[in-house]
Amino acid sequence: MDTRKLKYFLAVVDHDGFNRAAEHLLIAQPSLSQTIASLEKELGVPLFHRIGRRAVLSEAGKELIGPARLVMRDLDAAQSAVQSLRGIRSGRLDIITMPSPGIEPLTSMIAAFAKVYPAVRLNVSAAFTPEEVIESVRNGSTEIGLAGSPTPILVPGVQVLELEKQPLILIVNPQADVFGAEQTAIQREDLGGQRIIASQRGSLMRWLVDDALAHGVEVEIVVEVAHRTSILPLVLAGVGHAVMPASWAPTAHKAGLRTMLIEPVSHLDVAVLSRKDNLTPAAQAFLKVAAEHTERTNSQSNQ
């Protein structure tokens, strides 16, 4: 088995079929099919079930994805390690992030990283749960992951660097601002009678709303949003208030919205995740940027 065959296998997986994978690889589709057939012969099992024009992963194919990604990632790490003797001049870094950490601190860290390593291309994909981030880092799909959780993330075999704690805030609907002009914080009970734009179940923000409901606070969930890019436009349109982590505050303020701390305070623990070894130089450099961010955050909080 050679890495070219694994590369072609992953291309079929990532591009959802042989035709698109062949176009991406700039090879003829029959050549790709022959290479996959050769790989299946070496392994002694089918990797895909051919159903009409579709190629559906077999159980063996599903099992191969993780190890294949790790092999390709380790090959990239080996190549990058040699190239690093000349400095990090190019390359690609794959990152996965949940929505709120993807606003901050990821934006600040990417800005700092890009200033020092402008030739490294960053590819940022999306996840909605810590489990998705953990799995992506573990199976080698990405090298760096940003996750937010109600409690500190502890994962065997994965390096976890705690970045910051983001308190939950209320982004105030300007058309229903019944709070005092000088008021900077509210109690959860103050959400009673308010129309709320809520995140999907499983998020800390939705937990706070559900917890208020469970304690008799009459909150009306007017919209449940999975794609959080819709939240600020909905608040601006007067649909309702939104409960979000403090990372959203700067963007909300720029949009002319005001925010208020929700007491008692609940925090989103934000951390960066990575494999413990065989990281590319670009990933190692990004972790240094993340560590510097943590140091700045801690020093500012202690002032």
Side-chain angles (χ1 to χ4, degrees):
M1 187 189 306
D2 60 48
T3 56
R4 178 180 63 90
K5 293 177 182 177
L6 293 179
K7 177 182 177 181
Y8 284 12
F9 164 74
L10 290 174
V12 177
V13 172
D14 293 337
H15 295 276
D16 197 28
F18 282 76
N19 288 334
R20 292 180 180 176
E23 292 175 1
H24 171 75
L25 294 167
L26 301 178
I27 62 172
Q29 193 271 337
S31 176
L32 175 60
S33 297
Q34 291 173 5
T35 301
I36 298 300
S38 174
L39 179 58
E40 290 176 321
K41 183 176 180 181
E42 289 180 21
L43 295 173
V45 291
L47 299 174
F48 298 96
H49 298 303
R50 279 70 170 178
I51 302 176
R53 294 184 178 182
R54 297 178 58 224
V56 180
L57 276 166
S58 67
E59 288 302 313
K62 293 176 182 177
E63 289 296 321
L64 181 60
I65 292 175
R69 291 200 192 281
L70 289 176
V71 168
M72 298 308 297
R73 186 74 66 196
D74 289 343
L75 178 61
D76 288 343
Q79 293 173 336
S80 297
V82 175
Q83 293 170 357
S84 69
L85 296 175
R86 297 179 293 133
I88 304 174
R89 297 183 179 178
S90 62
R92 165 176 163 153
L93 176 59
D94 293 314
I95 300 172
I96 188 168
T97 182
M98 292 174 62
S100 294
I103 293 179
E104 282 294 344
L106 182 60
T107 298
S108 295
M109 293 193 297
I110 285 180
F113 181 86
K115 286 181 181 178
V116 183
Y117 308 106
V120 176
R121 180 163 66 92
L122 303 179
N123 178 55
V124 182
S125 56
F128 290 96
T129 66
E131 290 74 22
E132 290 179 72
V133 175
I134 292 166
E135 179 58 24
S136 180
V137 170
R138 272 183 166 165
N139 68 27
S141 297
T142 54
E143 286 197 276
I144 301 293
L146 271 80
S149 173
T151 56
I153 297 173
L154 299 173
V155 186
V158 174
Q159 181 173 297
V160 179
L161 172 64
E162 293 187 19
L163 294 174
E164 60 188 32
K165 292 180 180 291
Q166 297 180 3
L168 294 191
I169 59 172
L170 185 73
I171 303 177
V172 180
N173 171 10
Q175 298 181 27
D177 190 348
V178 297
F179 310 106
E182 302 300 322
Q183 195 172 349
T184 59
I186 62 169
Q187 300 296 311
R188 293 182 188 177
E189 292 76 15
D190 296 332
L191 295 175
Q194 301 299 318
R195 292 163 60 87
I196 299 294
I197 301 162
S199 302
Q200 73 273 30
R201 292 188 183 276
S203 67
L204 177 62
M205 296 73 75
R206 179 56 180 269
W207 170 85
L208 187 146
V209 175
D210 288 343
D211 185 65
L213 284 166
H215 285 83
V217 180
E218 296 296 327
V219 178
E220 180 184 358
I221 298 177
V222 61
V223 181
E224 184 175 285
V225 179
H227 296 288
R228 295 177 195 170
T229 51
S230 303
I231 288 177
L232 286 184
L234 286 171
V235 175
L236 285 166
V239 175
H241 309 294
V243 176
M244 297 301 290
S247 60
W248 290 74
T251 305
H253 295 160
K254 288 179 181 178
L257 299 169
R258 75 164 175 145
T259 61
M260 307 175 72
L261 185 67
I262 302 174
E263 297 177 335
V265 178
S266 295
H267 291 94
L268 187 71
D269 280 279
V270 178
V272 62
L273 283 63
S274 64
R275 289 164 58 193
K276 290 188 174 181
D277 49 26
N278 297 326
L279 292 174
T280 62
Q284 294 172 21
F286 193 90
L287 289 178
K288 290 181 181 178
V289 169
E292 291 168 358
H293 172 87
T294 302
E295 290 177 5
R296 285 194 302 272
T297 302
N298 291 339
S299 63
Q300 289 171 1
S301 62
N302 292 331
Q303 289 178 357

